[in-house]
Amino acid sequence: MTTYGSFPGTRPRRLRTTPAMRRMVAETRLHPADLILPAFVREGADEPVPIAAMPGVVQHTRDSLKKAAAEAVAAGISGIMLFGVPEESKKDAVGTPGTDPDGILQVALRDVRAEVGDDLLVMSDLCLDETTDHGHCGVVDEQGRVDNDATLERYAEMAQVQADAGAHIVGPSGMMDGQIGVIRDALDQIGREDVAILAYTAKYASAFYGPFREAVGSSLKGDRKTYQQDPANVRESMRELALDLEEGADMVMVKPAGPYLDILARVADSVDVPVAAYQISGEYSMIEAAAEKGWIDRDRAILEALTGIKRAGARNILTYWATEVAQKLGAVQ
C-alpha cells in the first residue's frame, strides 16, 4: 500500500478505540440525579395493576408506591412525579377529587413524604384530566369548551391542597393561559413560597400520549388541540416560555421529549433556569414493543434515547425507566 507521509494527520477515530477511551471523552453523561420517575397510584387498589400499553409500568397501590419511592431514593434519582387515579364514581364535571384533601393524589403525596421525607423531591401533577368525568384538563362550559379562567380557579385550589399534602414541586400540565401566575399567587397566599413550580411550558397535542390515557383511566372524548400546542409551531413555544418565566416559573419543561428535541434545544439555549423534558408514554411503549419483538436492543435504545434528550439540553428527564436506568448507571460508576 502506498503511503503519503503522515496523511491523514488528524484521526478522530483514535478517541473511539476502547470503551474506556469513549467514556473519557464523552461530551454528554447521564447521571441518576438527572432522572425523575413518573408514577401512578390507583384509589382502592389492593395490588399493583399492570398497564397493558406500558409493559413494566403499573398503577400502584399506596403501599407499592411507597416501596417504589424508597427504591428511587436508593437509586439516587432526584424526584417522583405522582399522578392520582380516583375511583370512577368520584369523577365529576369539576374534578372534585383534585381538591379533596382526601383525594387519592393528596393521600399519595402524604404517604410518599412520610416514607422519604426530603430525600426525594415529591412532585405532583397539577391538572384536572384524571379527575373529571369528561377527561379534559379544565372546567367545561355549556358549549363544551374548556373555560380557561374558571379552570384557573380550580388550579389555585389544587396547588394549595397539594402543597398542604407535602408536594415539594407542583407541575401544572393543563396549558391554561396564566396558570403559572395564578398558582404562584395561590401558593404564596398560604405561606408556601418554598413550593416550586415546574411549568409544562411547551406541551404539544401529541399522538404519543395514547398509553398514558390507559394509565390514568382517562374519560376523554375528543382531543385537547384547543389548549395544547400545535406540533407544527416553534415560535409559539418561545412565547409560552417568556410568559411562564414572567409569571414565576422556577423550572420549565418540554413534553413530549424525543419528537421535540429541536424545541428542547431552543428552550435550553434561551433560559438560565433548569430545563426538563418528559419522555412520555408513547416513547416508552414504542421502545418496549420493538424490543419485545426482537427488533432493537432494548437497553441500548433506552440509553441512546435518554442521552439524546440530555444532549439536546434537558437538565432533568421524566422517564418511566428512571429507577432502572439509575440503578444501572450506579453499578457502572
Side-chain angles (χ1 to χ4, degrees):
M1 177 179 177
T2 303
T3 60
Y4 300 92
S6 60
F7 176 83
T10 301
R11 295 179 183 267
R13 286 180 56 190
R14 292 189 188 111
L15 302 183
R16 305 171 195 153
T17 52
T18 68
M21 178 69 80
R22 293 190 294 273
R23 185 169 63 247
M24 184 181 76
V25 302
E27 299 173 31
T28 304
R29 299 179 192 275
L30 285 172
H31 187 278
D34 299 333
L35 307 176
I36 296 167
L37 176 68
F40 310 101
V41 57
R42 178 170 177 169
E43 186 171 20
D46 295 324
E47 58 186 24
V49 179
I51 299 167
M54 299 176 70
V57 179
V58 301
Q59 294 174 331
H60 283 286
T61 67
R62 291 174 60 186
D63 285 340
S64 70
L65 178 64
K66 290 188 287 185
K67 180 180 178 182
E71 290 174 348
V73 172
I77 72 174
S78 287
I80 185 167
M81 173 69 80
L82 302 184
F83 297 84
V85 184
E87 294 176 356
E88 194 70 25
S89 62
K90 294 184 178 178
K91 295 181 181 181
D92 59 24
V94 296
T96 296
T99 49
D100 180 354
D102 294 320
I104 184 58
L105 180 54
Q106 287 69 254
V107 169
L109 287 166
R110 291 194 293 270
D111 284 345
V112 174
R113 275 303 298 273
E115 183 72 21
V116 301
D118 292 332
D119 292 338
L120 185 71
L121 290 171
V122 181
M123 311 164 78
S124 56
D125 179 58
L126 200 165
C127 195
L128 289 170
D129 58 320
E130 297 105 274
T131 60
T132 54
D133 55 13
H134 47 72
H136 278 289
C137 297
V139 178
V140 175
D141 65 19
E142 294 178 356
Q143 285 74 46
R145 301 169 302 186
V146 174
D147 185 325
N148 190 96
D149 295 359
T151 299
L152 293 181
E153 294 181 17
R154 299 289 294 132
Y155 284 4
E157 293 180 60
M158 290 184 76
Q160 292 177 340
V161 298
Q162 290 179 0
D164 285 342
H168 292 102
I169 300 171
V170 295
S173 59
M175 291 300 289
M176 297 297 125
D177 295 338
Q179 63 183 15
I180 302 303
V182 166
I183 290 167
R184 183 71 270 161
D185 286 346
L187 291 169
D188 291 351
Q189 285 172 15
I190 61 169
R192 296 310 306 271
E193 295 88 354
D194 58 319
V195 175
I197 300 176
L198 169 59
Y200 283 60
T201 290
K203 182 179 180 182
Y204 285 88
S206 172
F208 292 96
Y209 295 131
F212 180 89
R213 304 281 164 79
E214 177 189 346
V216 296
S218 175
S219 304
L220 181 67
K221 302 293 189 296
D223 58 51
R224 297 179 174 132
K225 293 180 180 179
T226 60
Y227 45 102
Q228 293 178 352
Q229 287 183 241
D230 185 338
N233 293 350
V234 177
R235 287 191 295 270
E236 183 181 28
S237 292
M238 304 312 291
R239 186 182 185 196
E240 293 276 9
L241 174 64
L243 290 168
D244 282 352
L245 293 175
E246 182 181 342
E247 292 174 25
D250 299 288
M251 298 165 276
V252 297
M253 183 159 68
V254 175
K255 181 181 181 182
Y260 296 91
L261 295 181
D262 59 325
I263 308 300
L264 176 58
R266 284 279 296 270
V267 169
D269 287 344
S270 302
V271 301
D272 57 4
V273 299
V275 177
Y278 197 146
Q279 185 186 54
I280 66 169
S281 59
E283 298 175 73
Y284 173 93
S285 296
M286 286 192 300
I287 289 177
E288 289 288 353
E292 190 275 330
K293 291 285 189 180
W295 294 338
I296 59 173
D297 182 314
R298 177 184 181 274
D299 290 354
R300 287 184 60 194
I302 291 169
L303 287 176
E304 185 174 339
L306 291 171
T307 299
I309 295 166
K310 187 171 183 185
R311 189 185 62 242
R315 182 176 302 181
N316 297 106
I317 305 169
L318 284 82
T319 174
Y320 299 97
W321 290 302
T323 301
E324 175 189 341
V325 169
Q327 290 168 340
K328 292 176 179 175
L329 292 174
V332 170
Q333 293 169 1

